[in-house]
Amino acid sequence: MLALTLAVQLAVLSTLGLASPVQKRRGSGAAILTMPAKASMVTRSNSGNVFNKERALAEKLYVVSKYTRKTTNQGSVVKIQAKRSGGEHFDINTLRRRDTSGKEPLKDDYDQGLDQLYYGPLSIGTPAQSTTVDFDTGSSDLWVPTTACTGCFGNNYDTTASTTYQGSSTPFSITYADNSSANGTVATETVTVAGLTATGQGFGAVTAESGNFGGGPNAGLLGLGFPANAETGATPWFISLANSGALASQIFSVYQARAGASGSELCLGCTDSAKYTGDIAYYPLDSSATDGTQLYWNTPSDGFYYNGGSSTGAFSAVIDTGTTLIYIPTDAASAFYAEIDGAEDASDTVGEGFYSYPCNAKLSAITMKLGSTQYAVNPSDFNLGPVSEGSSSCVAGIVGEDIGEGLAIIGDEWIKNWYTVFDYEGLSYVKDAAIREFKVE
């Protein structure tokens, strides 16, 4: 998601008085946390990065499929739950705590001016075999390609070399609207991330991939969402870890750097105070948007705003580390772009739901409101580059798409600006705080 000429070094957000931004601003007006200005800015040009239409349209198809139910063939799904030695299930809210956490460095897949995805290492099997996964808060399954996989790339996992692998005949299959697919069987294995291990972890042992699944920098995917959204029927890896009592706290947090810079991190059972400033603000999750079942990390939002104007309309915001752009209801997108001078519907030239605006526009604050606070998107993340080589029109990073009952999918374009903590404690809160620092090389 690259952009205009404004790439911000967010270290200076500490000058905006972000200490407890929600609790300390209790007036009727909303607190607006915007980008710093003048000397605080770091200039980064996007002139050499033309909008990647093919990749953007592929992601849109992927996201639409992801949130309107994947086409799956689960057979008689195996339900895999962590248990006490006595046989009864753990209650995630009353677990014994250990002083254990882990920090996993993430790599930014930066290409053509776009931070495509953030991925990192994972060990699987006994003895451990190394591979890489996309850490995705918008899904709940772990799937890893095996050495028997056709169409797979990267570090594939050899099931025959592991003493802890347990296979099954239960099929695992996910197919998306862009024809990307991953197929295999449900199995269990020992899985480790950042030194934290879940044994007997259910996952998809992939034997065939096609489309975008086979061409990314990551080999597999680790979903960090909720159990009800798991296609395999297995308990998600992080909850398995919590069920074992292995974590100091039932949280994980995400920090995303920009433009391929180092420092991106997944903190398991912890927050990393070196990555943010201020207190962490709490926002409730919203199961009402998914018929009373918590599927996603979504929280109520009053919508997006441009330059402090009118709201685009409320939606339930899914905070999704596995999505690159931002997708909001079509009516909300139309209202938002009506506030930007020169913005136009680019459905005919770019793709349905996309908008363009003048590349030389001096953008004002672009914010999403949570609670009483509006959280800004960096203009450099909003600008996806010129429509074509030499074009004076640039493609905007907020896309109109109707998904579910008023869901908006808030991807890395927004997450890069805010240190985000995901809290399973009572399954009730998601938290955000200002990023302390990142570098634009």
Side-chain angles (χ1 to χ4, degrees):
M1 278 80 50
L2 208 67
L4 271 185
T5 57
L6 302 179
V8 180
Q9 184 170 332
L10 290 180
V12 295
L13 278 174
S14 60
T15 66
L16 298 180
L18 296 187
S20 188
V22 172
Q23 289 104 343
K24 288 191 176 181
R25 298 174 187 261
R26 297 189 179 276
S28 58
I32 301 179
L33 305 184
T34 58
M35 297 299 104
K38 297 180 181 177
S40 303
M41 293 292 188
V42 177
T43 299
R44 184 176 72 214
S45 173
N46 195 38
S47 59
N49 296 306
V50 175
F51 172 66
N52 189 330
K53 179 177 178 179
E54 180 180 3
R55 195 151 189 175
L57 294 179
E59 180 188 74
K60 183 171 179 285
L61 283 173
Y62 174 85
V63 170
V64 170
S65 294
K66 184 176 178 179
Y67 287 97
T68 53
R69 267 303 171 188
K70 310 174 183 85
T71 302
T72 60
N73 178 15
Q74 300 179 61
S76 55
V77 173
V78 177
K79 292 290 183 181
I80 306 165
Q81 301 285 343
K83 297 182 179 181
R84 296 179 188 266
S85 58
E88 74 273 23
H89 295 300
F90 266 124
D91 179 353
I92 197 168
N93 297 313
T94 58
L95 298 178
R96 178 173 62 87
R97 305 304 171 81
R98 299 175 186 167
D99 188 18
T100 306
S101 61
K103 296 179 181 179
E104 184 71 87
L106 302 180
K107 186 172 182 179
D108 175 11
D109 177 26
Y110 179 69
D111 182 52
Q112 291 186 276
L114 204 62
D115 299 301
Q116 307 280 0
L117 62 86
Y118 296 80
Y119 66 101
L122 172 146
S123 296
I124 184 168
T126 307
Q129 302 175 44
S130 296
T131 187
T132 56
V133 292
D134 176 8
F135 293 97
D136 178 16
T137 58
S139 64
S140 300
D141 292 289
L142 167 64
W143 55 263
V144 178
T146 67
T147 52
C149 184
T150 57
C152 296
F153 301 91
N155 296 325
N156 296 344
Y157 150 66
D158 185 356
T159 61
T160 65
S162 174
T163 60
T164 46
Y165 171 77
Q166 293 187 345
S168 79
S169 60
T170 302
F172 169 75
S173 180
I174 299 178
T175 302
Y176 291 94
D178 66 349
N179 294 320
S180 296
S181 65
N183 303 283
T185 57
V186 176
T188 65
E189 187 53 287
T190 298
V191 178
T192 300
V193 178
L196 300 173
T197 299
T199 58
Q201 175 60 49
F203 75 106
V206 176
T207 55
E209 287 183 2
S210 65
N212 289 325
F213 280 154
N218 56 301
L221 181 143
L222 192 152
L224 291 165
F226 290 88
N229 196 36
E231 302 291 353
T232 58
T235 302
W237 176 83
F238 184 82
I239 294 183
S240 293
L241 197 67
N243 283 349
S244 71
L247 293 173
S249 182
Q250 318 290 20
I251 64 173
F252 63 91
S253 52
V254 174
Y255 169 78
Q256 295 179 345
R258 277 186 179 81
S262 62
S264 297
E265 181 184 83
L266 172 66
C267 198
L268 297 161
C270 55
T271 61
D272 187 345
S273 60
K275 304 291 188 182
Y276 67 92
T277 61
D279 294 335
I280 294 173
Y282 292 66
Y283 298 99
L285 294 180
D286 181 19
S287 63
S288 67
T290 48
D291 296 325
T293 300
Q294 198 68 59
L295 299 176
Y296 314 118
W297 290 100
N298 56 299
T299 188
S301 169
D302 283 349
F304 272 89
Y305 292 74
Y306 181 72
N307 196 27
S310 300
S311 167
T312 60
F315 48 69
S316 189
V318 181
I319 312 301
D320 182 2
T321 60
T323 291
T324 307
L325 304 180
I326 294 170
Y327 299 84
I328 66 176
T330 53
D331 287 348
S334 179
F336 174 77
Y337 286 107
E339 300 291 321
I340 300 178
D341 290 340
E344 296 179 345
D345 187 325
S347 295
D348 292 338
T349 56
V350 176
E352 187 175 354
F354 284 87
Y355 286 78
S356 63
Y357 68 98
C359 292
N360 62 359
K362 303 298 183 183
L363 293 176
S364 298
I366 298 167
T367 59
M368 182 177 71
K369 188 176 181 182
L370 299 178
S372 61
T373 303
Q374 294 185 29
Y375 292 86
V377 173
N378 192 322
S380 72
D381 299 323
F382 177 76
N383 185 334
L384 305 184
V387 173
S388 58
E389 191 71 43
S391 174
S392 62
S393 294
C394 283
V395 181
I398 296 178
V399 183
E401 183 63 43
D402 294 317
I403 297 174
E405 296 297 323
L407 290 178
I409 313 306
I410 311 301
D412 300 338
E413 180 181 344
W414 184 86
I415 298 170
K416 284 183 290 185
N417 296 277
W418 302 101
Y419 189 86
T420 306
V421 183
F422 300 83
D423 185 1
Y424 275 106
E425 191 78 28
L427 308 183
S428 60
Y429 294 106
V430 65
K431 314 171 185 178
D432 299 273
I435 287 176
R436 178 182 292 277
E437 183 176 17
F438 66 80
K439 291 183 178 180
V440 179
E441 302 293 346

